[in-house]
Amino acid sequence: TLEERNVDLATQVVDIDESVDSLKTLIKELEDLSKSRFEETFNMIREQFAGPQGMFRKLFGGGSADIMMLPDEDGHVDLLEAGIEIKAKPPGKQPRVISQLSGGEKAMTAVALLLSIFKAKPSPFCVLDEVDAALDEANEQRFINTIHDFLDSSHFIVITHHKRTMMGCDKLYGVTMQERGVSKHVAVTVDEIGHEGQISSSAAKRSAPEE
């Protein structure tokens, strides 16, 4: 009985060793594939972000930027473990890491990187929630113009409080609270909004509460 038990356990050990070797081989293949795909995508996004025709230069109207992988203590870069650093040089300024930029510059750099990722791997829809909050008028106009370049293949849903951004949209959806605690939305096109921000009578009628 002990001999049969020993043979059975030895067989199980062989099976386990084979499974371990198989798993190690699979893990190595997955790591190599992940590194290859990550490096390919990273370089594509880097070109879209920091290239001569990249999103950073378009949004800032010049300057330069770069994204890079951070090495470990031994100076090696592990594609699956390394951090990423963003350096930016807005026009007329010295190169800085993103943490040293002003609020508006940080926002513009982040938007540039986001749109670079979106350009490298486009999607039918993109939702931007108040990304223009810290932008001045000049940068806000560049932001709107850049968004328009994507409209041939994608739809953008932009949540904003800025009139200039609203005027750059094709359709506006406003949320009002005519009764306390009860929200209602009204949809208008840009030509239904006056220069002073007033809504046309037809649009206002649509937003009026039903009697």
Side-chain angles (χ1 to χ4, degrees):
T1 300
L2 288 174
E3 185 176 0
E4 290 176 356
R5 178 63 174 163
N6 181 62
V7 170
D8 182 54
L9 291 174
T11 302
Q12 291 184 38
V13 169
V14 172
D15 291 341
I16 291 173
D17 288 339
E18 291 177 351
S19 298
V20 169
D21 292 338
S22 177
L23 286 173
K24 287 182 178 178
T25 302
L26 179 60
I27 290 172
K28 180 67 167 58
E29 291 176 355
L30 289 174
E31 284 187 348
D32 291 342
L33 181 61
S34 297
K35 288 180 179 179
S36 174
R37 290 189 175 180
F38 179 83
E39 185 174 21
E40 178 183 353
T41 305
F42 179 82
N43 290 334
M44 189 185 308
I45 294 172
R46 185 180 187 183
E47 177 63 27
Q48 297 289 353
F49 174 71
Q53 304 299 321
M55 300 306 304
F56 184 88
R57 289 181 61 83
K58 285 186 178 180
L59 281 169
F60 278 89
S64 60
D66 199 8
I67 51 176
M68 59 201 72
M69 307 292 294
L70 295 176
D72 58 20
E73 296 178 354
D74 299 324
H76 302 297
V77 175
D78 186 338
L79 293 177
L80 300 183
E81 299 291 339
I84 295 176
E85 186 171 74
I86 302 173
K87 287 189 176 180
K89 181 185 179 300
K93 295 192 176 181
Q94 294 297 321
R96 299 175 179 175
V97 295
I98 192 170
S99 60
Q100 297 172 331
L101 299 176
S102 67
E105 290 169 342
K106 285 180 182 178
M108 287 285 281
T109 303
V111 169
L113 180 59
L114 172 66
L115 293 179
S116 300
I117 296 172
F118 194 76
K119 197 166 186 177
K121 190 173 181 61
S123 171
F125 290 93
C126 180
V127 180
L128 301 176
D129 187 1
E130 296 191 40
V131 297
D132 59 347
L135 305 185
D136 57 25
E137 289 188 2
N139 287 331
E140 192 176 355
Q141 188 61 52
R142 291 197 192 98
F143 165 71
I144 296 168
N145 294 339
T146 303
I147 293 295
H148 283 172
D149 294 339
F150 289 83
L151 297 183
D152 291 340
S153 57
S154 303
H155 297 278
F156 281 78
I157 301 171
V158 182
I159 300 169
T160 181
H161 294 287
H162 285 197
K163 291 182 180 179
R164 187 180 293 269
T165 303
M166 294 179 192
M167 294 303 295
C169 297
D170 298 318
K171 191 89 172 179
L172 299 177
Y173 291 88
V175 179
T176 65
M177 189 177 292
Q178 295 171 330
E179 300 178 34
R180 183 176 178 83
V182 180
S183 296
K184 183 171 182 173
H185 79 272
V186 55
V188 297
T189 55
V190 174
D191 56 10
E192 292 178 311
I193 305 295
H195 293 294
E196 300 300 324
Q198 71 275 16
I199 301 177
S200 67
S201 57
S202 59
K205 187 176 181 180
R206 292 201 304 270
S207 66
E210 297 180 359
E211 297 180 357

